[in-house]
Amino acid sequence: MDFIYQSERFADLQLLRYHLNGFEKLSLRQKIFIFYLAKATLFGRDIIFDQNGKHNLLIRKTLETVYTDADIPHDTDEFRAFEVYLKRIWFSNGIYHHYGCEKFEPGFPEQFLKDALKKVDITSLPIGKEILSLEELCNIIWPAIFDTSYMPKRVNKADGEDLIVTSACNFYDGVTQQEAENFYARMKERYADCKEPLSYGLNSTLVKEKGEIKEKVWCANGLYGPAIRKIIYWLEKAADYAENECQRKLINTLISYYKTGDLVLFNKYSIEWVSEHDATIDFINGFIEVYGDPLGLKASWEGLVEYIDKEATCRTQIISNNAQWFEDHSPVDARFRKPVVKGVTANVICAAMLGGEEYPSTAIGINLPNADWIRAQYGSKSITISNITDAYNKAAHGNGFKEEFVIDDATLELIGQYGDLCDDLHTDLHECLGHGSGQMLPGIDPDALKAYSSTIEEARADLFGLYYIADEKLVELGLTPDIEAYKSQYYTYMMNGLMTQLIRIKPGHQIEEAHMRNRALIANWCYENGNVIHLIRRNEKTYLEISDYEQLRSLIATLLAEIQRIKSEGDYKAARKLVEQYAVKVDAELHAEILERYQRLNLAPYKGFINPQLLPIYDNNGDIADVQVYYGEDYAHQMLRYGQEYGTLI
């Protein structure tokens, strides 16, 4: 029987499944290792909910109780709207859209929820030592659910506003943006002579209590302790099945970091992790990416368990083995290139379990660690997730999207011939080389670009990939079949940046998510600074046309050089100007057209995944004799089960 990739759909979301290709060929020891790492991954779920908004856990628990326990009819429009609202909360790990960051508006009236709450056992609601009554619970969660003016955005990046005060993410409490920036500026001054810079603020909530600003650190005996202690428990079990001594050591270092919250140990763990190259199985577990913080300092919790796709990894190993050549021939100023590229490792992997910020919606490629000084001295690891991209490709096949927006049959044929190959290759170049390329000038603060840092960094990596995907070196290395292949990527990238990514923006809104801003910046800059990209009208529809692909590559080279300069010199003013001019604004007329054309296709603009279940099979002695994969769990069952099995903070 063929594997079924697509599952249910609701709102603007499509649920998919991913297949664990080759899992059955792994040894029993490897399967057990993955099983324990997966448990450690799933126990971080409550952390990401709380980080995304201070009321998220209360709301989730309350609505889940209504969903499962309330004696109310399920065949009404109100209940169906309630169900969609709850499913959106599950998908986005909170009440804010996972991509746009705006608060969901419930499609059911307040009275529906009031009446439903009267029909559940009050002891099953999150009422206890801190919240003493149903009335008190409702007073807390009601504005978050029903008042559109109360904490309306998870992450606000509007220029000129206090980004902390106007953002609902739960990384700061009672402090302003200026106070937070001053706090961490003083901390950096205090430790200016440190040879191994710390990622200040990465794993803490910054609060003001009795007029004093201080950090509450996320660790086993600190904030998020109950969840972190569960993660530690499963990491300790996993360590016994590590594939080599280096891997066992890095797991134990991660455990020590979780126990203490000491960022010196996080540096040590990051160095040990990036230095381990021999294992088939790897993982990401911790406070990693800073996109969820408007200041780009504090990290959201994420988890990923993976194993190598050996056949596909041949492609990324060719790239990583030639990393020095790519760095040496980059079109950026020689001052900003790395004289010696160290430790670049790139693998194509199969995801075995997604968690935290990587679930249900996940990246297709990752490059870590994020600290520039560790990249420079020890290198980086890049992954492209083959079974995730495969699921996306299978789900998109024949959906009519490209036929609607691509300008002509010749370009469609070009994309059909080279599109999937070049999409994967651009991701490889972005993660493996783009993020790992270039160097900061001595003395430059890695946080100098502030709120614009994430957009500039993603643009830098994308531009690096775009520049080199058109290079004859890739044909020479056998990565592209001919010098025409890159044109498919140039066309789809520019079409996305200028037009089709607008399907993810609500009418009247601007672009705020860092990856979307990055793509808009590149496409709009190339459009406005060279006469090679054209938006033309045919049959009352707008299409993108590229008249000179070679000249477009020259524009990409110029922009890459400037973006790298901004990054290397920490030029905040230039970063702000570029982003605000090219990456934020939306043409209302074009936007309305794109939305109308997309709506006729009846497609969901966002996709995410249902995790497979890893089921241990025990022998008569109580030992694990096998781990089997089950793909049949539906979305609601998985979310409710996760709430029961992995709920730790409420």
Side-chain angles (χ1 to χ4, degrees):
M1 178 184 253
D2 291 337
F3 183 78
I4 299 174
Y5 286 92
Q6 297 196 51
S7 183
E8 69 177 282
R9 176 182 166 183
F10 54 90
D12 57 356
L13 303 167
Q14 172 79 60
L15 270 299
L16 306 175
R17 301 183 190 277
Y18 59 97
H19 190 267
L20 272 57
N21 305 317
F23 182 84
E24 69 283 355
K25 297 179 182 178
L26 298 175
S27 70
L28 175 59
R29 183 180 181 88
Q30 289 174 318
K31 291 178 181 178
I32 295 173
F33 187 36
I34 287 175
F35 172 71
Y36 289 148
L37 289 173
K39 298 289 279 187
T41 292
L42 295 173
F43 266 109
R45 183 171 183 251
D46 275 7
I47 297 176
I48 188 65
F49 266 90
D50 190 72
Q51 289 179 319
N52 284 347
K54 64 189 298 183
H55 303 310
N56 281 336
L57 288 171
L58 283 176
I59 293 171
R60 190 192 78 196
K61 177 64 175 176
T62 300
L63 299 190
E64 285 177 350
T65 302
V66 169
Y67 186 72
T68 58
D69 294 1
D71 184 17
I72 55 177
H74 288 195
D75 59 351
T76 66
D77 289 341
E78 289 181 341
F79 183 86
R80 283 188 283 268
F82 167 80
E83 184 177 33
V84 168
Y85 182 73
L86 176 56
K87 287 181 175 181
R88 297 191 76 169
I89 290 173
W90 285 334
F91 190 97
S92 294
N93 297 308
I95 63 174
Y96 300 92
H97 196 285
H98 73 289
Y99 218 80
C101 293
E102 67 274 7
K103 187 162 70 172
F104 299 129
E105 294 186 23
F108 55 91
E110 295 181 46
Q111 193 62 45
F112 167 83
L113 188 55
K114 287 181 181 178
D115 293 342
L117 284 170
K118 295 175 183 177
K119 297 182 179 181
V120 299
D121 183 350
I122 195 170
T123 62
S124 62
L125 292 169
I127 295 172
K129 293 181 180 179
E130 296 183 2
I131 299 174
L132 302 178
S133 66
L134 177 59
E135 180 182 9
E136 187 178 353
L137 173 65
C138 291
N139 287 339
I140 293 171
I141 67 173
W142 230 250
I145 297 174
F146 294 107
D147 185 348
T148 56
S149 66
Y150 176 74
M151 302 174 73
K153 296 202 69 174
R154 178 170 61 87
V155 181
N156 178 37
K157 293 187 177 181
D159 189 35
E161 298 185 9
D162 187 311
L163 302 185
I164 288 180
V165 173
T166 58
S167 295
C169 55
N170 195 21
F171 295 122
Y172 305 91
D173 188 4
V175 300
T176 66
Q177 179 178 346
Q178 192 61 58
E179 287 173 329
E181 290 176 347
N182 291 343
F183 180 88
Y184 288 111
R186 289 192 298 269
M187 186 174 288
K188 289 175 182 177
E189 288 177 7
R190 195 178 314 138
Y191 299 104
D193 296 331
C194 181
K195 293 181 179 179
E196 296 187 350
L198 302 181
S199 300
Y200 299 106
L202 187 77
N203 65 335
S204 66
T205 302
L206 191 67
V207 303
K208 183 189 285 186
E209 294 180 348
K210 298 180 180 179
E212 179 185 0
I213 298 176
K214 60 184 180 180
E215 290 184 311
K216 290 187 175 181
V217 177
W218 310 328
C219 61
N221 294 315
L223 210 56
Y224 301 140
I228 291 172
R229 289 193 292 273
K230 287 289 188 179
I231 294 169
I232 289 172
Y233 172 83
W234 290 103
L235 287 175
E236 287 175 337
K237 293 180 77 67
D240 291 337
Y241 290 84
E243 295 188 89
N244 56 55
E245 190 56 39
C246 180
Q247 193 173 57
R248 183 176 294 106
K249 180 181 177 183
L250 71 88
I251 292 173
N252 287 327
T253 302
L254 176 60
I255 290 169
S256 297
Y257 161 63
Y258 270 139
K259 287 180 177 179
T260 63
D262 186 348
L263 288 171
V264 173
L265 286 173
F266 180 70
N267 279 350
K268 182 181 178 184
Y269 161 71
S270 298
I271 293 167
E272 291 174 351
W273 178 81
V274 81
S275 301
E276 198 289 306
H277 305 303
D278 298 326
T280 296
I281 297 161
D282 205 350
F283 69 96
I284 296 167
N285 188 296
F287 306 104
I288 309 295
E289 301 288 4
V290 295
Y291 301 113
D293 175 10
L295 299 189
L297 296 174
K298 301 189 174 297
S300 301
W301 193 93
E302 67 180 84
L304 170 68
V305 186
E306 66 193 62
Y307 56 97
I308 290 177
D309 181 338
K310 292 183 179 179
E311 182 177 346
T313 292
C314 293
R315 180 183 73 235
T316 55
Q317 287 180 342
I318 291 171
I319 293 172
S320 60
N321 290 341
N322 287 274
Q324 190 67 58
W325 184 93
F326 288 104
E327 184 77 3
D328 293 343
H329 291 81
S330 171
V332 307
D333 191 302
R335 294 178 301 148
F336 309 140
R337 298 189 209 130
K338 287 179 179 174
V340 179
V341 178
K342 297 180 180 179
V344 174
T345 303
N347 290 315
V348 178
I349 61 97
C350 283
M353 191 60 64
L354 306 172
E357 194 176 35
E358 294 297 331
Y359 169 81
S361 178
T362 184
I364 59 173
I366 297 171
N367 178 278
L368 293 172
N370 287 324
D372 286 297
W373 74 271
I374 296 179
R375 291 178 188 271
Q377 294 185 32
Y378 298 96
S380 62
K381 278 186 184 178
S382 299
I383 58 170
T384 303
I385 312 178
S386 62
N387 56 343
I388 296 296
T389 55
D390 185 53
Y392 280 135
N393 291 339
K394 294 287 198 310
H397 182 71
N399 65 10
F401 177 83
K402 292 173 185 174
E403 289 77 6
E404 173 61 35
F405 289 103
V406 174
I407 188 168
D408 53 35
D409 289 342
T411 309
L412 271 172
E413 185 177 348
L414 180 80
I415 295 168
Q417 184 175 0
Y418 301 116
D420 288 351
L421 171 85
C422 286
D423 283 347
D424 288 344
L425 187 55
H426 183 254
T427 301
D428 294 339
L429 291 166
H430 171 111
E431 300 295 350
C432 176
L433 301 181
H435 282 306
S437 67
Q439 63 178 355
M440 307 280 285
L441 292 183
I444 298 298
D445 184 350
D447 299 317
L449 302 184
K450 300 180 181 179
Y452 299 103
S453 178
S454 293
T455 297
I456 292 297
E457 176 57 23
E458 292 303 322
R460 192 176 72 90
D462 259 3
L463 286 162
F464 197 96
L466 288 169
Y467 177 75
Y468 275 117
I469 202 169
D471 202 287
E472 291 183 357
K473 183 71 172 180
L474 270 64
V475 181
E476 175 190 324
L477 293 172
L479 295 170
T480 52
D482 55 55
I483 199 58
E484 296 295 305
Y486 80 93
K487 294 179 181 178
S488 69
Q489 185 66 20
Y490 275 24
Y491 189 90
T492 55
Y493 190 96
M494 297 301 165
M495 181 180 74
N496 189 29
L498 283 171
M499 295 171 55
T500 53
Q501 74 168 0
L502 296 178
I503 63 173
R504 296 182 167 189
I505 303 292
K506 288 186 175 181
H509 287 213
Q510 294 185 331
I511 302 172
E512 298 199 43
E513 198 276 334
H515 296 81
M516 292 184 70
R517 281 188 167 191
N518 139 51
R519 293 188 287 268
L521 189 162
I522 293 171
N524 282 305
W525 189 95
C526 291
Y527 174 66
E528 294 186 18
N529 287 275
N531 190 32
V532 298
I533 299 175
H534 314 280
L535 294 178
I536 64 174
R537 296 283 293 176
R538 287 184 183 173
N539 301 320
E540 299 184 351
K541 294 181 179 180
T542 304
Y543 294 95
L544 180 137
E545 180 181 69
I546 299 176
S547 58
D548 190 330
Y549 283 90
E550 291 184 9
Q551 184 59 30
L552 178 54
R553 190 188 186 216
S554 296
L555 289 168
I556 287 167
T558 300
L559 184 56
L560 173 57
E562 173 61 6
I563 292 283
Q564 182 63 63
R565 182 200 67 77
I566 289 170
K567 167 89 173 182
S568 296
E569 295 181 350
D571 189 343
Y572 172 81
K573 289 183 178 179
R576 179 187 178 198
K577 182 178 179 180
L578 262 185
V579 173
E580 294 297 335
Q581 182 173 351
Y582 295 106
V584 177
K585 300 178 181 65
V586 174
D587 181 296
E589 186 176 346
L590 177 62
H591 189 197
E593 177 197 328
I594 298 301
L595 289 175
E596 192 275 331
R597 290 165 66 183
Y598 187 79
Q599 186 176 20
R600 288 203 304 264
L601 297 174
N602 192 31
L603 301 174
Y606 300 99
K607 294 176 175 61
F609 292 89
I610 299 172
N611 277 327
Q613 279 185 272
L614 300 181
L615 304 174
I617 307 300
Y618 295 94
D619 62 20
N620 293 333
N621 297 319
D623 298 322
I624 297 178
D626 194 12
V627 177
Q628 295 183 355
V629 184
Y630 175 65
Y631 299 103
E633 189 172 31
D634 69 31
Y635 177 63
H637 186 276
Q638 182 159 108
M639 292 298 183
L640 292 168
R641 180 172 65 84
Y642 281 6
Q644 290 291 321
E645 293 184 13
Y646 304 107
T648 55
L649 301 180
I650 192 168

